Amino acid sequence: MSNDKSLKYDFSAIERKWQRKWQENKTFQVEIDRNLPKYYLLEMFPYPSGRIHMGHVRNYSIGDVIARYKRMNGFNVMHPIGWDAFGLPAENAAIKNNSHPAKWTYENIDYMKSQLRKMGFSYDWNRELATCDPEYYRWEQLFFVQLYKKGLIYQKVTTVNWCESCRTVLANEQVIDGCCWRCDQQIIPREMNGWFFKITDYADELLDWCDKLTGWPDKVLTMQRNWIGKSLGAEVDFPVDGWDESLKIFTTRPDTIFGATFMSIAPEHPLAAKLAQKNGLQKEVSEFVEHTRSARQQQNPDVEPEKEGIFTGGYAVNPYTGDKLPIYTANFVLMEYGTGAVMAVPAHDQRDFEFAHKYDIPIKVVIQPPGAELDAATMTEAHEGPGILVDSAGFSGMDSAEAKKAITSHGEEQGFARQRITYRLRDWGISRQRYWGSPIPMIHCPRCGVQPVPEDDLPVELPTDVTFAQSGKSPLHDLESFYKTSCPKCGGEARRETDTMDTFVESSWYYARYCCPGERREPLRREAVDYWLPVDQYIGGVEHAILHLLYARFFTKILRDLGYLGIDEPFADLLTQGMVIKDGTKMSKSKGNVVDPDDLVQQYGADTVRLFSLFAAPPERDLEWSDKGVEGAHRFLHRIFRFVMDKREMLQNAGNGPVAPAGGPERDLHRKTHQTISKVSRDFASFHFNTAISAIMELMNFLSAGAGESSKTIPADFVIKEAVEAIIQLLSPMAPHFCEELWEQIGHKSQLSESRWPVFDPEAAREDEITMVVQVNGKLRGRLSVSAGEDEEKVKEMALAEPNVGKFIADKTIRKIIVVKDKLINIVV
RNA sequence: GCGAGAGUGGCGGAACUGGUAGACGCACUGGCCUUAGGAGCCAGCGCCCUCGGCGUAGGGGUUCGACUCCCCUCUCUCGCACCA
């Protein structure tokens, strides 16, 4: 190889050159254009933690391929990026370094932005946003105030999930296996006042739309459905003996109500203390409640604690039977779900069964499964399935489904029961006792109560002149210049809310704000959001299957109902990509198996890194990192580079030959080229980038075998040129700088990014000669070369005449011959 | 326990509606070229003893034909987990 500098693949010079050109030419800036179909591609925006990691590289490489592919196919593609910039790490870093979260955050953004630029992603940087910018978060304060006025936000004191190491409260979705989603510390329950979004008002709509989100993976939809956890049942009032109020319970099994032998209520249930007091069991019951509370705090989330309970001394009356049922308080009953009280049917509920055995409570069978005869005395576990009712007064003989309806409506008529739907989903608690977030725009007035900040006074800016305590306590709580204010109603002295919003609020609507960069008068411009939304393709990690994706769906609906959006769902299609792993486990600093994108880009260039991360695995699967594999990708680019540069003069001068070469090496290469265009286009449509790349590699192998130095029958220049241009274009979404450079080198004056995707010609791709497989009894015995569409009888004859086939059918009778056109012949003997 | 998904060479992974299992790449082996090569080129590469046989976690089944469809078992990953 010569030492000519221009023949060397100098990736860093090439990458710098094209990144500059794209920027100068504003190649990826878009505006509303009603003459083109729009395509909004979005990847989950990063938290500015300091540096990008391989997970980002993979996520954004996948997205960039799609964005560039769609552009080349004539779409008006919006591909924005920004920063999920509020959050705890910034605050913790500030405490540690005696600095400020804003400084830390913006420095990280600067650095990570330079990293993303070096990867060559086709972002419209004009639309960049950072959620910690008052120009961003001011709008969610406006939403907050408007939602509060609409009654969709409220304040309550409740048991919350407290993370001591983060010194803040977490939403239910942010608790994973009883631990904090961020720091993995065990959470502890704590009574606190906080602000809640009424996501439960939208539970049904969120659930119903799960069936309509056809572009989402089933896995994610299933997780969301389970999280919402809708159950249909009945609420029944059990009068409490000698008390003027009744005990409300929720059950999904009204058909078993005649089998109830006791009642269980949550330890926190107000009735527990009341009954105990009345019956002189105060001491015992309060000890039990205290004991349960502390046990719950220390409980190992992996093991189910043993059922425990204590009699409260009170009795409830089953309104269907008149039976007096003892009321227990039990550790397995949850105050947060349903009504915090259940009827206990030991014969048909495993938990009640275990409890009844332990405390020697009677068991009464009221459901008989088909083909069996249950006996309360001998059963070893509850029968939870359906069956035929027995010992249930007028309902005996009905099956479970029928009885559920009949028993509920009987109760409805009598006024002590009603149909009820219960959800597992709880309202979204968004108060965070930390500094680095959007202030909650509310004012506490000792006279007028809670008042929203008037819309004209927004935003409530996060003060920057603060100092941080080592404890992590938010400086806002003690910052008089911040919290001291006047009541918007009476003008008297009042106190500002000092909690900030959960950062998932910011990420719930950023996708919409990208449509309206720089808009200062209103949060969203209808014209822009109506044109761009919904996001056509959203891409991110599956770890957000519930958290972010559920919140964003909810937010879309409330913004729609406030009149800001005209869509029901934010993301039409969703792709959840797998993790990047190395040596069998997730890359992480603690395991010491991280690969730094900067090092790789320096060593091999961004195009190689992108190519490998797309080649090594299909997007939804985990990707096992391999340093050797990266070298392989790099070698492939080298091979193309050498081949093209060797033939540069020829390629610049090659004319256009006949549209369809008649035969010989021209026809063969022309065919392979079009087969590749077809394969790659199909693979792109289904995001199978790994197989698309291997198809391009095949074409390259075919080309260098046929048109290389050693080949005897070199195809005409114009066909080689066609193949080379196809390779460059097909590869360009994955290795964009590299392909732009070669495109220019072979004589193109305009940018490859502006070119149109090659057109597939089915006629060119058609095979004339086909290899058919000959089987005897399904085993491969020979091959046959025939012209495409060859007659069936002729093919049979040829197959039987094959010498190797003859060996296997010699002394046997042929029973059947199956011919699959252009594919195979199976001779059954 | 419940729900979802997945098990294919030494490795990452291919295989369209059932029709040549292992594309493409990595690793490995041999050769060429070279002062050298971690560069490049050529060839080989599922397993077993030659004709041939066996092979897609294991066992059954449907079919002329099964990685693909059906049943059972095992393993792994992920999600939910006393939700009444």
Side-chain angles (χ1 to χ4, degrees):
Chain A
M1 182 78 17
S2 83
N3 283 330
D4 183 349
K5 208 104 201 263
S6 69
L7 290 182
K8 199 169 160 279
Y9 171 31
D10 183 352
F11 52 82
S12 56
I14 291 172
E15 289 175 5
R16 246 175 298 142
K17 168 181 167 182
W18 290 101
Q19 282 157 18
R20 203 178 55 240
K21 288 217 179 200
W22 292 328
Q23 199 173 344
E24 283 167 2
N25 298 342
K26 302 183 171 27
T27 306
F28 304 112
Q29 284 186 24
V30 279
E31 292 306 330
I32 291 174
D33 181 346
R34 300 192 190 278
N35 297 315
L36 292 176
K38 69 96 184 179
Y39 192 83
Y40 183 0
L41 183 118
L42 184 65
E43 302 115 26
M44 289 179 187
F45 66 167
Y47 178 77
S49 57
R51 311 170 72 80
I52 62 168
H53 52 68
M54 289 314 302
H56 292 126
V57 168
R58 187 180 190 204
N59 187 194
Y60 301 149
S61 295
I62 291 166
D64 204 46
V65 175
I66 301 170
R68 287 174 180 269
Y69 173 68
K70 286 285 173 182
R71 263 181 73 79
M72 290 176 82
N73 279 282
F75 286 87
N76 192 31
V77 175
M78 174 160 89
H79 187 203
I81 188 78
W83 309 95
D84 188 11
F86 271 140
L88 217 38
E91 197 169 337
N92 291 341
I95 294 167
K96 199 170 145 200
N97 308 325
N98 199 20
S99 166
H100 195 279
K103 182 169 180 284
W104 185 86
T105 301
Y106 281 108
E107 280 172 4
N108 287 348
I109 288 176
D110 280 349
Y111 187 74
M112 290 172 74
K113 191 170 166 177
S114 76
Q115 288 184 297
L116 293 182
R117 281 196 189 275
K118 282 185 190 148
M119 290 301 300
F121 297 131
S122 63
Y123 297 127
D124 180 353
W125 286 100
N126 257 4
R127 296 172 186 270
E128 181 185 3
L129 58 80
T131 57
C132 61
D133 183 349
E135 280 304 314
Y136 181 83
Y137 69 73
R138 63 178 298 180
W139 302 116
E140 72 194 38
Q141 293 179 346
L142 177 67
F143 299 149
F144 192 101
V145 167
Q146 292 178 345
L147 290 167
Y148 174 77
K149 290 176 185 162
K150 255 192 117 181
L152 283 167
I153 292 179
Y154 65 98
Q155 200 183 17
K156 72 175 170 188
V157 177
T158 182
T159 309
V160 295
N161 311 301
W162 177 262
C163 173
E164 185 53 40
S165 91
C166 294
R167 288 197 61 91
T168 189
V169 162
L170 303 171
N172 292 317
E173 291 79 6
Q174 293 155 16
V175 179
I176 315 288
D177 287 337
C179 296
C180 171
W181 70 289
R182 190 188 291 107
C183 70
D184 220 30
Q185 286 292 306
Q186 185 151 24
I187 64 108
I188 48 180
R190 193 165 152 176
E191 289 281 304
M192 269 181 95
N193 195 7
W195 290 97
F196 289 81
F197 280 28
K198 265 195 185 171
I199 191 171
T200 52
D201 271 16
Y202 287 81
D204 262 320
E205 198 193 334
L206 288 165
L207 183 66
D208 291 345
W209 273 91
C210 285
D211 297 332
K212 299 181 220 165
L213 291 172
T214 50
W216 282 42
D218 286 338
K219 179 189 167 77
V220 174
L221 294 173
T222 305
M223 282 168 71
Q224 294 220 348
R225 285 192 192 101
N226 291 343
W227 189 263
I228 295 166
K230 179 176 183 169
S231 39
L232 212 79
E235 190 180 77
V236 184
D237 306 329
F238 282 59
V240 178
D241 200 28
W243 201 267
D244 51 7
E245 50 187 293
S246 56
L247 180 57
K248 273 192 197 333
I249 62 103
F250 173 73
T251 179
T252 55
R253 293 299 302 275
D255 54 318
T256 65
I257 202 160
F258 286 82
T261 56
F262 64 103
M263 308 293 284
S264 313
I265 63 176
E268 308 89 330
H269 197 289
L271 200 61
K274 281 191 207 166
L275 289 176
Q277 191 176 25
K278 183 175 172 243
N279 297 297
L281 292 166
Q282 240 163 318
K283 187 160 172 283
E284 290 84 342
V285 171
S286 67
E287 267 173 21
F288 173 77
V289 170
E290 200 34 59
H291 163 76
T292 307
R293 195 197 309 271
S294 67
R296 277 183 183 171
Q297 284 189 19
Q298 295 149 29
Q299 108 181 209
N300 175 355
D302 292 333
V303 289
E304 207 169 273
E306 197 182 333
K307 313 248 170 316
E308 285 179 336
I310 188 168
F311 179 47
T312 62
Y315 290 86
V317 178
N318 185 336
Y320 287 85
T321 61
D323 291 348
K324 265 178 74 175
L325 306 176
I327 302 173
Y328 284 74
T329 173
N331 64 343
F332 62 89
V333 182
L334 309 172
M335 192 59 216
E336 311 86 66
Y337 184 78
T339 60
V342 293
M343 66 172 190
V345 185
H348 305 293
D349 182 289
Q350 186 58 27
R351 293 159 302 181
D352 298 341
F353 184 85
E354 286 166 28
F355 194 88
H357 262 268
K358 183 165 176 179
Y359 295 103
D360 229 5
I361 303 169
I363 296 171
K364 186 182 167 197
V365 172
V366 288
I367 305 281
Q368 287 294 359
E373 183 81 0
L374 291 179
D375 176 8
T378 58
M379 311 170 62
T380 54
E381 57 177 13
H383 167 69
E384 297 189 326
I388 303 297
L389 271 72
V390 294
D391 286 332
S392 300
F395 305 99
S396 297
M398 291 183 179
D399 65 41
S400 294
E402 191 188 356
K404 278 182 190 176
K405 285 185 204 146
I407 290 176
T408 307
S409 48
H410 176 257
E412 271 172 347
E413 284 157 26
Q414 303 293 312
F416 54 71
R418 58 216 65 91
Q419 259 199 19
R420 193 181 143 177
I421 292 164
T422 299
Y423 300 92
R424 210 187 77 105
L425 181 73
R426 316 277 163 68
D427 281 337
W428 175 18
I430 57 102
S431 291
R432 295 294 177 270
Q433 293 66 35
R434 296 298 298 244
Y435 164 77
W436 191 231
S438 169
I440 293 171
M442 298 301 279
I443 291 165
H444 301 270
C445 172
R447 288 159 303 276
C448 313
V450 172
Q451 297 295 324
V453 173
E455 294 186 14
D456 290 345
D457 292 353
L458 294 175
V460 178
E461 277 203 48
L462 194 60
T464 49
D465 54 334
V466 292
T467 46
F468 296 92
Q470 287 298 320
S471 68
K473 190 179 179 203
S474 168
L476 294 184
H477 295 164
D478 304 313
L479 188 66
E480 199 180 287
S481 60
F482 178 74
Y483 70 69
K484 202 170 167 188
T485 187
S486 56
C487 172
K489 199 168 173 191
C490 69
E493 200 168 284
R495 187 183 166 93
R496 213 179 264 296
E497 171 68 59
T498 52
D499 282 353
T500 52
M501 290 189 222
D502 183 0
T503 57
F504 280 98
V505 176
E506 283 89 63
S507 55
S508 292
W509 68 286
Y510 77 111
Y511 72 91
R513 180 68 189 175
Y514 279 139
C515 301
C516 327
E519 174 59 59
R520 295 185 64 104
R521 287 157 306 172
E522 49 184 349
L524 300 168
R525 220 171 64 242
R526 262 320 272 270
E527 188 207 3
V529 292
D530 284 349
Y531 175 80
W532 289 113
L533 296 180
V535 173
D536 293 279
Q537 180 68 56
Y538 197 36
I539 309 170
V542 74
E543 64 273 17
H544 290 106
I546 295 174
L547 283 162
H548 161 59
L549 289 169
L550 187 68
Y551 295 147
R553 292 184 58 212
F554 164 60
F555 234 80
T556 303
K557 294 172 193 302
I558 57 180
L559 291 184
R560 174 199 62 195
D561 293 346
L562 286 177
Y564 290 112
L565 294 176
I567 51 167
D568 297 304
E569 287 285 339
F571 314 123
D573 289 354
L574 173 69
L575 176 66
T576 49
Q577 105 264 4
M579 289 184 302
V580 179
I581 58 177
K582 180 132 193 272
D583 312 320
T585 45
K586 185 178 176 166
M587 277 190 186
S588 76
K589 271 177 236 142
S590 59
K591 287 178 193 122
N593 62 348
V594 286
V595 175
D596 184 19
D598 277 359
D599 297 344
L600 286 168
V601 170
Q602 208 197 338
Q603 201 179 347
Y604 300 104
D607 286 323
T608 294
V609 177
R610 293 168 57 125
L611 189 65
F612 175 73
S613 67
L614 293 161
F615 179 62
E620 63 282 0
R621 233 191 279 188
D622 285 350
L623 184 154
E624 171 77 36
W625 194 261
S626 152
D627 294 336
K628 290 290 185 185
V630 180
E631 281 177 32
H634 194 58
R635 265 203 297 271
F636 174 57
L637 293 183
H638 257 288
R639 281 181 57 213
I640 299 175
F641 193 84
R642 272 197 315 273
F643 184 93
V644 173
M645 295 308 269
D646 261 8
K647 298 187 160 32
R648 183 170 50 163
E649 300 268 308
M650 177 277 269
L651 291 164
Q652 285 171 3
N653 300 322
N656 295 320
V659 181
E666 275 79 35
R667 173 79 179 111
D668 289 344
L669 181 54
H670 182 58
R671 181 193 300 115
K672 184 72 181 171
T673 300
H674 279 269
Q675 286 175 343
T676 306
I677 293 171
S678 164
K679 166 88 175 138
V680 172
S681 304
R682 261 186 294 124
D683 284 349
F684 270 24
S686 54
F687 307 144
H688 292 159
F689 308 116
N690 55 335
T691 50
I693 294 167
S694 49
I696 299 169
M697 287 173 166
E698 274 189 67
L699 176 57
M700 186 59 213
N701 292 346
F702 191 91
L703 180 63
S704 49
E709 309 299 321
S710 55
S711 176
K712 288 181 192 75
T713 50
I714 298 176
D717 293 351
F718 74 92
V719 192
I720 295 178
K721 184 178 176 182
E722 180 191 46
V724 166
E725 291 195 339
I727 288 171
I728 294 172
Q729 285 195 291
L730 297 176
L731 195 63
S732 68
M734 299 175 271
H737 318 83
F738 175 86
C739 294
E740 285 275 16
E741 179 65 20
L742 291 184
W743 191 249
E744 187 180 79
Q745 290 288 347
I746 61 173
H748 288 277
K749 296 284 176 269
S750 60
Q751 273 186 199
L752 172 59
S753 330
E754 309 284 359
S755 78
R756 277 315 182 86
W757 193 248
V759 176
F760 164 59
D761 175 4
E763 187 52 33
R766 213 192 64 234
E767 292 281 359
D768 313 309
E769 281 288 299
I770 282 166
T771 304
M772 287 187 78
V773 170
V774 186
Q775 298 179 331
V776 178
N777 284 348
K779 292 207 164 75
L780 177 68
R781 297 303 181 197
R783 285 163 214 279
L784 230 48
S785 186
V786 302
S787 50
E790 185 62 88
D791 177 68
E792 213 172 280
E793 288 306 315
K794 177 98 181 285
V795 164
K796 279 187 191 170
E797 248 172 67
M798 290 168 74
L800 291 169
E802 274 286 293
N804 194 46
V805 172
K807 238 165 48 188
F808 290 92
I809 57 173
D811 50 348
K812 304 193 175 78
T813 348
I814 294 167
R815 292 212 314 235
K816 207 198 283 192
I817 300 180
I818 286 145
V819 179
V820 180
K821 197 168 181 205
D822 292 346
K823 281 245 165 88
L824 62 66
I825 305 112
N826 189 10
I827 303 165
V828 188
V829 297

